[in-house]
Amino acid sequence: MNQRNWHSTAHGIGWILLSACIAISAAQKVDPPEIHSARQALAAKQYQRAEELFADYVQSHPGNIDGEEGIGDAELGLHEYEAAEIQYRSVVFAQPEFWIAHKNLVIVEAALGRWSEFDRERALLRGARERGAPGIDTRDSDVIDTFDIRGEHWIVREYYEPVGRSLTR
């Protein structure tokens, strides 16, 4: 390999490595301790505590999307659907492609019986998947309803990409 080809190859490899480092650093995003504690409370189904922790964080970090979305998640867990809707709408206003907020809006609108909004949010998610929007995976499922029957909790999901033995949606 002559020096020119080697330089060109090394330059290309350098760009690939830089791109990989950027992707890795984005994937390894570390939450601040306050957000981490709030997420732990959320995971433990301590929704009231999670809401307080996220709200405290947002108060000291106004406009923080992760904190705003976390408040919505806690309110959703508390079945405070109107409050959760306000939070999620605020998040998607600030970041229209924050897909988890759109997915949660589907659940909120179903709980509130707002079927036109429910359909609009689902159509938005489907359109994002069809155009290959960044941050949304075609293999993900969307929760479209949850209910309890005889003490058992059931979750209804829609799969954009057919999955399972029968390749069903």
Side-chain angles (χ1 to χ4, degrees), residues 26-169:
Q28 294 178 343
K29 178 184 160 192
V30 177
D31 287 331
E34 303 92 338
I35 292 282
H36 182 72
S37 296
R39 288 194 201 285
Q40 285 182 316
L42 201 59
K45 298 183 180 182
Q46 298 169 349
Y47 301 119
Q48 189 62 51
R49 178 73 180 134
E51 183 181 27
E52 293 165 3
L53 291 170
F54 280 119
D56 288 346
Y57 187 76
V58 169
Q59 188 172 20
S60 62
H61 299 82
N64 179 275
I65 295 299
D66 290 329
E68 296 282 349
E69 193 260 338
I71 293 170
D73 291 347
E75 291 168 339
L76 181 60
L78 291 166
H79 303 278
E80 296 173 357
Y81 301 116
E82 291 88 358
E85 179 185 26
I86 291 168
Q87 287 299 133
Y88 293 136
R89 295 265 178 233
S90 173
V91 168
V92 299
F93 180 77
Q95 285 190 10
E97 293 190 347
F98 200 101
W99 302 117
I100 192 70
H102 286 289
K103 291 173 108 181
N104 288 338
L105 278 166
V106 170
I107 297 167
V108 165
E109 299 305 350
L112 294 172
R114 296 181 185 154
W115 302 112
S116 62
E117 288 297 313
F118 171 86
D119 290 336
R120 188 181 68 76
E121 288 296 334
R122 289 188 62 212
L124 187 85
L125 290 166
R126 178 173 288 280
R129 287 192 175 100
E130 287 173 352
R131 71 175 186 277
I136 191 164
D137 191 343
T138 58
R139 292 167 294 180
D140 272 350
S141 66
D142 296 326
V143 175
I144 58 174
D145 201 2
T146 63
F147 53 90
D148 295 297
I149 297 178
R150 296 186 188 137
E152 286 192 58
H153 187 68
W154 295 85
I155 300 173
V156 180
R157 298 179 183 272
E158 177 189 42
Y159 293 87
Y160 174 75
E161 213 173 77
V163 296
R165 289 184 299 188
S166 303
L167 294 180
T168 58
R169 287 202 165 122

